[in-house]
Amino acid sequence: MSSADRHAEDPFDPDGYGVPGRPPRIPLPRAAPEDDEAYPTLQQGGGDASVPPTPPLEHRVLKSLLGAWALAACSAEESEAVEEHLGGCGTCADEARRLREAVGLLQRPEPLDLDPGLRTRVLASCLERRPPRIPVPEWALPYDAEAARLDALLQDFGDSEWHAPVRLRWFAGERQESRRTTVAGVIAHLHAVDGLVAVALGLDDPLRGGPRETGRGPVARTEYSWRTSRFPHTRTVRRPWREQAHDIVRTSSFTGGTAGGLGVSYGDFELPLRDALLDRAFECWVHADDIAQAVDYPYDPPAPRHLRAMIELATRMLPAALAERRLAGLASPGRTRHLVPAGHPGRSLRLEIEGLGGGEWFIPLDSPAAVGSAEYEVAHVALDGVEFCQLAAGHIAPDDAAAGQVGDREAIRDVLFAAAALSRM
């Protein structure tokens, strides 16, 4: 039929491509076969090669692929066949949905223990844009950060995690002590001992045990808290502990940072408020790590600048701890003791801390009133920062703690055991 005849037959479609509502009479152009491997190749002499079509997969085969499809382990062709099948098979569609939900449960959730420095960076960025009307004192920041990190660890705990057994460890005399409790019991312990700081700031005592109980130290307060509870502690202990931590930080901030020298009584000794909050930050991290180990969850050390502040506090407390052990007959009197007037340099041990919070400190050996000095160095100990904190927490034995030792062996042993003596329940 000529073009004129076609035009005469359909004046609106002279070329046979069709009009809306009518199928085209001439096929539309398609891509060249060599551009796509899926097209059959042309044989010499013209004509398409005979390629048999792929038979559709049977229902039982497609059903067996649902697990692999849910895990995204199918090939592209298999995924396409499964998804096409799901559009017409309600039974397989329901099974696929259940498998996808199960896969979501198998995936590891985002860790709760975020980078310890993340919170500091976010707050710093916010405060650059809008400074706070009442800033948190620098010496209260480690406690604020560690309480927030522990609270983040606890937020998704179920009943089984709250009742998971935890073993508190500390060093007494020449050996390690331990006490078994639960995750909830650890938070009750922190709540009771943090109450010493709360009382010093004029806040309510969480124990409400009267003056006789208020004046006691950390161990007595913890035992009182555990003993007077009618039932084993549960998740309900989290809220009062967290609210008390908020109140402590808030009240410290309202003082304008001038309360850092306020005395906080620990029963048999006293710390200024700035050191007491640093001590509570240290305990919060140590016990958070105890809890994380109990529920088999990783937990990172504090931010480096906070860790360094904790190490500095321990090094300042070491001379007094060493003197107490010597008075108790637990440390050697020293064959070469060199007593000097207060404020003068004396025999010293160089404590080198590597890694996070690293630095060097000179520990006076013969008197807490002496000053550590490189000129009178008689021994040198090298320790990792986190390992030193674990030693000060009583979590590792002094004989296993030192990474490197040079010099007076008696002085080294005395300092390592004095560091472990800083620990308590």
Side-chain angles (χ1 to χ4, degrees):
M1 183 167 47
S2 65
S3 176
D5 295 333
R6 289 198 304 271
H7 181 72
E9 181 179 346
D10 191 350
F12 298 99
D13 186 22
D15 295 323
Y17 285 106
V19 294
R22 298 182 185 178
R25 296 173 57 190
I26 299 177
L28 296 176
R30 64 180 184 179
E34 61 270 14
D35 293 340
D36 191 340
E37 296 180 357
Y39 284 96
T41 57
L42 296 178
Q43 296 180 342
Q44 293 182 357
D48 291 342
S50 176
V51 179
T54 304
L57 299 177
E58 298 179 4
H59 177 273
R60 61 181 182 83
V61 177
L62 292 168
K63 186 176 182 180
S64 69
L65 289 173
L66 291 179
W69 173 82
L71 292 169
C74 288
S75 65
E77 293 79 6
E78 290 172 338
S79 296
E80 183 179 357
V82 169
E83 291 166 4
E84 183 178 354
H85 176 69
L86 295 179
C89 181
T91 304
C92 287
D94 291 340
E95 180 68 15
R97 176 179 55 80
R98 286 192 293 268
L99 289 172
R100 271 288 168 90
E101 292 175 354
V103 169
L105 296 175
L106 291 175
Q107 294 176 350
R108 183 177 180 180
E110 290 295 325
L112 299 177
D113 51 329
L114 300 176
D115 176 7
L118 177 61
R119 185 174 186 271
T120 301
R121 293 195 299 270
V122 172
L123 288 176
S125 177
C126 294
L127 296 178
E128 286 178 358
R129 291 166 172 79
R130 181 176 296 179
R133 289 182 298 175
I134 304 176
V136 177
E138 187 71 23
W139 40 265
L141 290 177
Y143 175 71
D144 185 28
E146 292 309 307
R149 287 211 304 147
L150 174 54
D151 188 55
L153 174 68
L154 299 172
Q155 65 181 354
D156 291 328
F157 276 17
D159 291 338
S160 60
E161 286 87 1
W162 279 101
H163 294 291
V166 180
R167 187 168 294 278
L168 301 180
R169 294 167 291 167
W170 68 96
F171 203 82
E174 298 289 320
R175 60 193 181 92
Q176 192 178 60
E177 302 285 348
S178 66
R179 177 70 182 272
R180 182 169 176 166
T181 183
T182 63
V183 170
V186 173
I187 302 304
H189 162 61
L190 289 174
H191 188 213
V193 182
D194 286 354
L196 293 170
V197 180
V199 171
L201 287 170
L203 302 174
D204 292 337
D205 187 348
L207 299 184
R208 296 185 177 89
R212 185 180 61 180
E213 296 293 345
T214 302
R216 294 187 177 178
V219 175
R221 290 177 64 86
T222 299
E223 296 287 356
Y224 178 80
S225 174
W226 289 344
R227 184 175 64 252
T228 56
S229 178
R230 294 182 58 188
F231 303 101
H233 288 289
T234 63
R235 64 169 68 239
T236 57
V237 74
R238 176 192 173 199
R239 181 175 179 180
W241 163 75
R242 193 68 181 107
E243 288 179 349
Q244 178 179 258
H246 279 300
D247 290 341
I248 289 174
V249 174
R250 185 184 302 112
T251 305
S252 299
S253 302
F254 283 149
T255 66
T258 59
L262 179 67
V264 178
S265 174
Y266 279 71
D268 54 351
F269 67 96
E270 184 175 289
L271 290 176
L273 179 61
R274 60 171 59 88
D275 288 346
L277 280 183
L278 197 54
D279 168 76
R280 301 316 306 147
F282 177 79
E283 291 289 315
C284 195
W285 162 47
V286 168
H287 290 318
D289 189 65
D290 290 336
I291 291 172
Q293 291 183 27
V295 298
D296 196 21
Y297 198 89
Y299 201 78
D300 292 330
R305 66 191 185 102
H306 294 166
L307 185 63
R308 182 181 176 88
M310 296 175 190
I311 294 173
E312 286 180 343
L313 174 62
T315 59
R316 284 190 278 116
M317 298 174 69
L318 270 177
L322 182 59
E324 290 178 6
R325 284 181 55 82
R326 187 172 288 124
L327 289 174
L330 300 175
S332 60
R335 295 188 299 270
T336 58
R337 292 188 68 185
H338 181 63
L339 298 178
V340 297
H344 286 69
R347 283 196 325 140
S348 305
L349 177 141
R350 182 197 299 265
L351 178 62
E352 180 182 354
I353 301 298
E354 302 170 341
L356 297 176
E360 283 189 350
W361 290 266
F362 290 93
I363 312 300
L365 297 172
D366 299 324
S367 170
V371 176
S373 170
E375 182 180 358
Y376 295 93
E377 177 184 335
V378 297
H380 182 187
V381 175
L383 280 168
D384 175 75
V386 174
E387 186 180 20
F388 174 77
C389 290
Q390 292 294 322
L391 172 65
H395 281 39
I396 58 176
D399 293 333
D400 301 331
Q405 304 178 4
V406 177
D408 189 329
R409 295 295 177 181
E410 285 188 354
I412 292 172
R413 183 183 185 279
D414 289 344
V415 169
L416 292 179
F417 273 81
L422 296 175
S423 62
R424 59 179 180 272
M425 184 175 72

